[in-house]
Amino acid sequence: MNKQLTALTQIIYQAGDIIKKNWDKPRKISHKGEIDLVTDTDVAVENFLIQKIKSIFPNATFLAEEQKQTTKTKLEEETFIIDPLDGTTNFAHGFPFVAISVAYAKNEKIVLGFIYLPILNEFFFAQKEKGAFLNGKPISVSKENILKNSLIATGFPYNISTKADYILKLMKKVLLSSQGLRRAGAAAIDLAYTACGRFEGFYEIGLKPWDTAAGWLLVEEAGGKVTNFSNEPYNIYSNQILATNGLVHQELVDLLTT
Ligand code: IPD
Ligand code: CA
Ligand code: CA
Ligand code: CA
């Protein structure tokens, strides 16, 4: 695995170079929905990752955001779960909070997670039972145990209109009970920043496997906790995610479920 791990790390850095190279160029944008964008860079990064990863993991299958076939619900023996560009709206506007998220699942368990922020030069990595790292240094979740002293992150789905009241209700509760609420526009980064202690917690509804797979492992390997809003075990097909340092988890469960 060591050789493959080195190769994978290199591939993800190279994929980040595509985002860096395109950063100052005009964006080519298409619409998947009214406010749901995809750029040529999303597609270029994804194609690059799949092609390169196939050369070192010839038996792997892929669950990747911009592929046509994204409905699969069972992970094969070896599956890569890829968000080539998390934070597409940010990318479209030149807001540098963008990341590549890659998770490797073996026998249905996520064992490697990478979240790379090429513009901010932050490379997050986690390996099952071996810890979580930022630019090679071990990271851990925050030790804050009071929600009122905590900074919490969230995000919204693109099809927000039918769920706006529910989302605003949750936001109001968390705003009134915490030190602050952030919506920075990239779920993978929200999870990585929870793993390294910048956020005490993160919650969102309607995320997809590629948004959360790598970040889930990062948070757990950094000592945090990941569940749905009702404190039940998380899986990448859950409609809700609550990821915290563990210490403010119950307070958030209480807010999000009442
Ligand atoms: C989106 C971002 C955003 C979250 C959305 C996601 P994309 O992913 O992670 O923070 O709120 O729900 O779909 O489309 O930028 O890869
Ligand atoms: Ca995403
Ligand atoms: Ca994406
Ligand atoms: Ca998208």
Side-chain angles (χ1 to χ4, degrees):
M1 176 49 94
N2 269 351
K3 246 185 167 174
Q4 284 169 315
L5 194 55
T6 310
L8 267 179
T9 305
Q10 224 169 37
I11 289 169
I12 292 163
Y13 270 112
Q14 286 166 358
D17 288 342
I18 301 176
I19 297 177
K20 286 184 181 171
K21 188 178 89 218
N22 291 349
W23 188 251
D24 293 320
K25 295 191 183 149
R27 313 294 195 247
K28 289 194 193 104
I29 297 172
S30 327
H31 282 254
K32 297 202 250 186
E34 199 184 8
I35 58 162
D36 186 358
L37 313 178
V38 57
T39 73
D40 54 341
T41 302
D42 298 57
V43 176
V45 172
E46 184 165 300
N47 291 342
F48 175 86
L49 285 169
I50 293 177
Q51 186 219 329
K52 290 285 180 184
I53 292 173
K54 267 186 183 161
S55 68
I56 42 171
F57 290 85
N59 301 322
T61 59
F62 293 85
L63 178 55
E65 182 177 11
E66 310 305 341
Q67 299 300 291
K68 295 278 171 290
Q69 234 190 330
T70 48
T71 47
K72 109 183 173 139
T73 52
K74 197 173 174 298
L75 301 180
E76 311 294 328
E77 207 178 302
E78 285 193 309
T79 306
F80 282 87
I81 306 159
I82 297 178
D83 191 335
L85 208 171
D86 189 41
T88 296
T89 308
N90 289 348
F91 179 76
H93 290 264
F95 183 65
F97 219 61
V98 299
I100 293 167
S101 176
V102 176
Y104 171 60
K106 198 159 168 62
N107 302 325
E108 308 240 343
K109 288 250 171 310
I110 295 162
V111 292
L112 297 177
F114 304 83
I115 295 176
Y116 177 36
L117 289 72
I119 308 302
L120 300 182
N121 291 315
E122 293 188 320
F123 194 100
F124 290 88
F125 165 68
Q127 186 167 13
K128 185 97 189 143
E129 280 156 20
K130 295 205 168 145
F133 306 85
L134 165 54
N135 292 340
K137 297 200 180 96
I139 52 172
S140 57
V141 292
S142 135
K143 295 191 169 46
E144 179 56 58
N145 62 3
I146 298 168
L147 188 57
K148 196 67 207 173
N149 299 334
S150 297
L151 187 59
I152 305 301
T154 192
F156 324 122
Y158 292 117
N159 58 344
I160 194 166
S161 57
T162 54
K163 303 167 189 106
D165 289 342
Y166 172 62
I167 287 168
L168 289 171
K169 185 181 106 182
L170 297 186
M171 282 179 70
K172 184 176 176 186
K173 287 196 207 182
V174 176
L175 261 175
L176 293 173
S177 309
S178 65
Q179 203 166 72
L181 185 59
R182 297 288 178 269
R183 193 294 190 247
I189 303 179
D190 293 328
L191 287 163
Y193 279 20
T194 301
C196 72
R198 294 174 185 163
F199 294 135
E200 273 68 34
F202 163 66
Y203 73 91
E204 186 162 343
I205 58 165
L207 288 172
K208 298 289 193 299
W210 44 83
D211 296 310
T212 59
W216 175 21
L217 183 65
L218 265 162
V219 171
E220 289 198 338
E221 284 299 317
K225 184 168 183 183
V226 183
T227 66
N228 66 10
F229 291 176
S230 308
N231 213 358
E232 292 159 351
Y234 180 73
N235 73 71
I236 52 171
Y237 300 103
S238 299
N239 186 50
Q240 307 166 331
I241 187 166
L242 171 62
T244 73
N245 63 359
L247 303 171
V248 298
H249 208 86
Q250 190 58 47
E251 270 194 274
L252 280 166
V253 166
D254 294 344
L255 281 183
L256 297 173
T257 52
T258 49

